[in-house]
Amino acid sequence: MNDETSAAAREPGFSTLAIHAGAQPDPTTGARATPIYQTTSFVFDDVDHAAALFGLQTFGNIYTRIGNPTNAVLEERVAALEGGTAALAVASGHAAQHLVFHTLLTPGDEFVASRKLYGGSINQFSHAFKSYGWNVAWADPDDISSFEKAITPKTKAIFTETIANPGGVVTDIAAISAIAKKAGIPLIVDNTLATPYLWQPIKDGADVVVHSATKFLGGHGNSIGGVIVDAGTFDWSATDRYPFLSKPRPEYQGIVLHETFGNFAFAIAARVLGLRDLGPALSPFNAFMILTGIETLALRMQRHSDNAQAVAEYLAGHPKVAWVSYPGLKGDRYQALAQKYLPKGAGAVFTFGLKGGYEAGVQVVSSVELFSHLANIGDTRSLIIHPASTTHRQLSDEAKVAAGAGPEVVRLSVGIEDVKDIIADLEQALAKV
Ligand SMILES: *Cc1c(COP(=O)(O)O)cnc(C)c1O
């Protein structure tokens, strides 16, 4: 191999992709940062061009609900970082999940989901999806065989998170992927908490990855957004169970999306059938904010993880703390899985329990000064919440405990401030308990 071909074959590293993938200087103005194409619609070259765009015979911009050049850079970048073939940017993480399942399920279908998920996803699956006739069966990520047991002839997908919010559960994605492959169904993975910097679940067998870009991808607590990544790995035509992909589409003159678009057909279907018709488009301004955030993803995720590790170790040694659930800690229940899947660090989000129970939890969130008391994660700032008095308040005591939100539980999303300031703030708040 000569030097030229070996240079061409070199794969750029993660940080390089995080800054450059999908972007180039604007061809008309030379603008180096990706411009915000704040326009609803795009002029056609002529009537034939318009017809080809509407018929999916050529790629291009029509209307920002369906696609936008700023959003397209974000899509290409996240696809590159996750190692997928294509992606679709949408208005929120929940919109991403909605479009993924809309592309896979018809009324009466089932899917299996881990019961350890972001609370909003549990609500979406239990209530909103039910009204579409999409039925969830819950499985336990601490007992992988429960995923297999929950599969029926109507099951069309498995859904899980890499690191599960809020409790620091590390999911054995490769083992769940083996179950999905055996059943001939795709594995959908929510990679919001790990981000592709810490974990690329496509390498472990995920067929579709979803993100709440609101969290660490954007990273600055200023923009809601979501992304769907197509791994290009699933054979949608092996059975007739995924008609959006494998059957002629009446919306597009009988085109079969999988046949036409091959290993990025899922991303196309989610766009031209889901996003086009259901409408949760991402604002180009938010795409710009999220792209800017992604440029520093590697730096931020490493600092988030390093800070969280130090804070977890500090809390584990504190006399008023009953327990700390962080996969980076020695002896943690998920330590072995974290060593396998998260060698760079175990992320920013974890929970700990206070010996003083509910009252102590309320005292700590009322006493912090640097931490912000709010219901979000993945900000540069350190965030704290006491689920039992806020997000999980409406649940029965039993349900609170089952959801990992018992009276003594406090959740942190450790920011990227100086770690000594983060620890000092917890120190003074704990002193008031
Ligand atoms: C926040 C979050 C979501 C939902 O995303 P939105 O952008 O708020 O719609 C989904 N999954 C996880 C793990 C989250 O943290």
Side-chain angles (χ1 to χ4, degrees), residues 65-340:
R65 169 153 45 72
I66 307 167
N68 174 283
T70 311
N71 299 24
V73 177
L74 174 61
E75 288 158 351
E76 217 178 297
R77 188 160 308 168
V78 178
L81 294 177
E82 287 286 6
T85 52
L88 178 64
V90 295
S92 68
H94 269 10
Q97 293 168 195
H98 184 191
L99 293 193
V100 163
F101 284 103
H102 176 262
T103 307
L104 296 173
L105 306 185
T106 50
D109 284 343
E110 296 176 8
F111 65 102
V112 175
S114 164
R115 67 169 78 256
K116 298 270 171 65
L117 294 181
Y118 172 68
S121 301
I122 293 178
N123 281 334
Q124 186 187 49
F125 296 174
S126 308
H127 304 295
F129 281 12
K130 207 168 173 185
S131 71
Y132 294 152
W134 306 341
N135 301 311
V136 61
W138 299 108
D140 180 358
D142 296 327
D143 171 14
I144 295 295
S145 70
S146 67
F147 283 83
E148 188 152 24
K149 287 183 196 132
I151 292 172
T152 77
K154 290 182 176 170
T155 305
K156 289 209 178 150
I158 297 179
F159 183 96
T160 189
E161 293 176 5
T162 41
I163 306 176
N165 183 0
V169 176
V170 182
T171 311
D172 193 346
I173 297 292
I176 298 176
S177 163
I179 291 169
K181 284 197 166 59
K182 194 171 146 201
I185 56 178
L187 173 61
I188 321 299
V189 174
D190 180 341
N191 196 28
T192 298
L193 262 70
T195 81
Y197 174 73
L198 295 176
W199 191 343
Q200 292 167 311
I202 289 174
K203 290 188 178 147
D204 298 304
D207 298 295
V208 176
V209 173
V210 291
H211 275 280
S212 170
T214 312
K215 315 294 168 52
F216 295 99
L217 291 185
H220 295 70
N222 57 27
S223 307
I224 302 276
V227 184
I228 299 166
V229 182
D230 185 348
T233 43
F234 194 80
D235 182 0
W236 305 106
S237 307
T239 67
D240 58 5
R241 305 179 70 213
Y242 303 98
F244 269 22
L245 289 132
S246 67
K247 290 277 188 301
R249 294 313 307 176
E251 302 93 327
Y252 292 103
Q253 305 94 37
I255 239 178
V256 177
L257 292 176
H258 188 209
E259 198 178 278
T260 306
F261 296 104
N263 70 357
F264 58 100
F266 186 84
I268 294 279
R271 184 191 303 281
V272 304
L273 303 176
L275 184 60
R276 186 196 70 162
D277 293 353
L278 300 173
L282 179 68
S283 142
F285 181 80
N286 278 18
F288 172 84
M289 296 301 282
I290 295 162
L291 269 172
T292 304
I294 288 175
E295 292 183 9
T296 56
L297 184 65
L299 298 173
R300 286 186 292 104
M301 287 315 291
Q302 192 60 59
R303 176 71 87 92
H304 275 298
S305 290
D306 293 349
N307 281 359
Q309 179 73 32
V311 171
E313 284 169 11
Y314 160 77
L315 289 171
H318 197 286
K320 290 181 185 170
V321 172
W323 53 264
V324 180
S325 172
Y326 187 66
L329 286 180
K330 268 201 197 74
D332 186 85
R333 152 168 214 194
Y334 300 103
Q335 192 192 10
L337 286 170
Q339 281 168 346
K340 172 173 178 190

